[in-house]
Structure formats: structure tokens, C-alpha cells
Amino acid sequence: MIGNYSLSVPNDINKIRIDTILDDATASIEKEDYYDLNTGVNTINILVTAQDETEKTYTIIVNRAKNDNTDLSYLAVDGYELEEDFDKDTL
């Protein structure tokens, strides 16, 4: 049996924590506490096994937005000095 869930996060989120509580204390769970996120689609599977060995996989699809930063942190011309001070917010 599979349960699917999804969410979207902004690009500045590069790690998420997933909290779970087992409905039955005799079951076991396979998961990490924290998951690193790549840009784009990330698939996280959480496997729960009942005492009788029945398994259920919970799948979380996390879509991490692409970076939209177009700023420069530095601008120079080799051997010359710009007449204006560099400001990343000046177009």
C-alpha cells in the first residue's frame, strides 16, 4: 500500500525535517530525521512495517523551486577602475 503526499518549498530551503508518530508501537519505521533537497523534484519514501510484516510506503514529493538570483557579488574590469562604485542593486 502506498500513500502519496506533495509539497513545494522555496529555493532557500535546502533541508527539511519529517516528523512521524507510529499508530502502533509494535510497528517499525525506516526514515531519516532530515532530508537534503536538490533543486526540482525530490522523492522521499518512508517505509512502515507492521508486526505481521505488512508494509506501507508513504511517499512525499518535495518540489524545491529553482534559484532566481541574478545578482553579481563583484564586478571589475582588469587593469581599469569603474567610474561608479559597484552596487549589485544598480542596473
Side-chain angles (χ1 to χ4, degrees), residues 76-81:
V77 178
D78 193 29
Y80 297 91
E81 188 173 318

Side-chain angles (χ1 to χ4, degrees), residues 33-50:
D33 289 330
Y34 290 92
Y35 293 87
D36 292 326
L37 300 176
N38 295 315
T39 300
V41 176
N42 297 265
T43 302
I44 299 170
N45 292 310
I46 299 169
L47 177 65
V48 177
T49 304

Side-chain angles (χ1 to χ4, degrees), residues 9-52:
V9 298
N11 180 265
D12 62 336
I13 303 300
N14 59 15
K15 183 181 284 198
I16 61 170
R17 178 180 169 165
I18 297 177
D19 295 319
T20 58
I21 298 175
L22 289 168
D23 195 44
D24 184 334
T26 64
S28 63
I29 189 166
E30 290 181 27
K31 75 170 193 70
E32 304 294 325
D33 289 330
Y34 290 92
Y35 293 87
D36 292 326
L37 300 176
N38 295 315
T39 300
V41 176
N42 297 265
T43 302
I44 299 170
N45 292 310
I46 299 169
L47 177 65
V48 177
T49 304
Q51 189 177 33
D52 70 357

